[in-house]
C-alpha cells in the first residue's frame, strides 16, 4: 500500500513537472516571437508548434491567446519590478532622492538584458488587443504606486500629500518608458543616438528631481 501511494505521488509530480515545462515552453516561444512582431500576428498553432505540442493541448495551459498574452505581460513587468527593487535599495541606503544617472543606469541594464520583453511591452501598450493593453496599463499603475511608496519613505518628501507623490511617480515612469521606446526604435540605433537619448532623458529626470526638491505642498 505504501509503495503504491509513493509511486502515485511520483507519477503525479512527474505529470505536474511536465505540465509546468510545457507551459514555460509556450511562454518562451511567445516571447521569442514577439521580439519583432505584434502579438496579434501570432497564431495559436504557431505557438503550440514552437512548444512541441498539438494545438488542442494549448488549452490545458491557457484559456485563450489573450490569456497567454496577459501572462507574458505579467512576466515581463517582473523585469521592471526587479529594476524598481534595485532602485529601492539605493534609496534606502542613501535616504535621499535618486540621481538621474543612477536611475537610468539601472533601467538601461535591464533593457539590454531583456530587450525582447521590453519591445513587447512598448509595442503592445497601444496595440490592437484590448486585454493586453489593459493588463499593461494595470501593471504600469501598480509600478507607479510602488514608486510612490518608495518616494514617501524619503525624509525630504515627508510633507508631501499622497496625490502629489503619485503624480511625481507617474512622471518618472512616463519619462523612463519614453526613453525605452526611443532606444528600441530602429531609427535611433547607433552609439551616438543612444548617447543623445540617455543625455536627454537624464536632463528630464534632473528637472523632475530638482522640481521635487523645491516643491512645497499646499496646506
Amino acid at each position: 500500500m505504501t509503495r503504491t501511494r509513493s509511486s502515485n505521488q511520483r507519477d503525479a509530480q512527474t505529470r505536474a513537472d511536465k505540465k509546468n515545462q510545457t507551459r514555460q515552453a509556450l511562454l518562451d516561444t511567445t516571447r521569442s516571437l514577439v521580439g519583432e512582431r505584434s502579438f496579434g500576428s501570432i497564431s495559436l498553432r504557431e505557438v503550440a508548434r514552437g512548444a512541441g505540442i498539438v494545438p488542442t493541448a494549448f488549452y490545458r495551459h491557457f484559456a485563450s491567446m489573450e490569456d497567454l498574452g496577459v501572462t507574458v505581460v505579467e512576466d515581463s513587468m517582473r523585469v521592471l519590478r526587479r529594476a524598481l527593487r534595485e532602485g529601492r535599495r539605493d534609496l534606502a541606503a542613501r535616504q535621499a532622492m535618486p540621481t538621474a544617472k543612477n536611475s537610468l543606469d539601472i533601467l538601461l541594464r535591464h533593457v539590454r538584458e531583456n530587450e525582447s520583453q521590453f519591445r513587447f511591452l512598448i509595442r503592445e501598450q497601444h496595440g490592437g488587443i484590448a486585454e493586453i493593453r489593459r493588463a499593461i496599463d494595470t501593471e504600469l499603475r501598480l509600478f507607479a504606486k510602488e514608486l510612490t511608496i518608495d518616494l514617501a519613505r524619503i525624509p525630504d518628501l515627508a510633507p508631501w500629500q499622497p496625490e502629489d507623490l503619485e503624480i511625481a511617480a507617474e512622471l518618472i515612469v512616463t519619462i523612463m518608458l519614453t526613453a525605452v521606446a526611443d532606444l528600441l526604435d530602429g531609427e535611433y540605433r547607433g552609439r551616438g543616438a543612444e548617447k543623445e537619448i540617455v543625455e536627454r532623458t537624464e536632463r528630464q529626470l534632473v528637472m523632475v528631481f530638482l522640481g521635487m526638491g523645491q516643491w512645497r505642498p499646499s496646506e
Side-chain angles (χ1 to χ4, degrees), residues 22 26 44-61:
T22 301
L26 288 167
L44 184 154
R45 184 177 298 276
E46 188 176 11
V47 173
R49 183 171 61 248
I53 62 174
V54 297
T56 52
F58 172 91
Y59 295 102
R60 299 174 189 167
H61 306 277

Side-chain angles (χ1 to χ4, degrees), residues 1 36 43 59 69 103 105 111 126 136 141 174 178 183 206:
M1 178 72 71
E36 298 297 337
S43 69
Y59 295 102
S103 300
D105 285 346
V111 169
H126 305 292
I136 293 174
R141 289 178 184 276
T174 298
T178 300
L183 287 166
V206 167

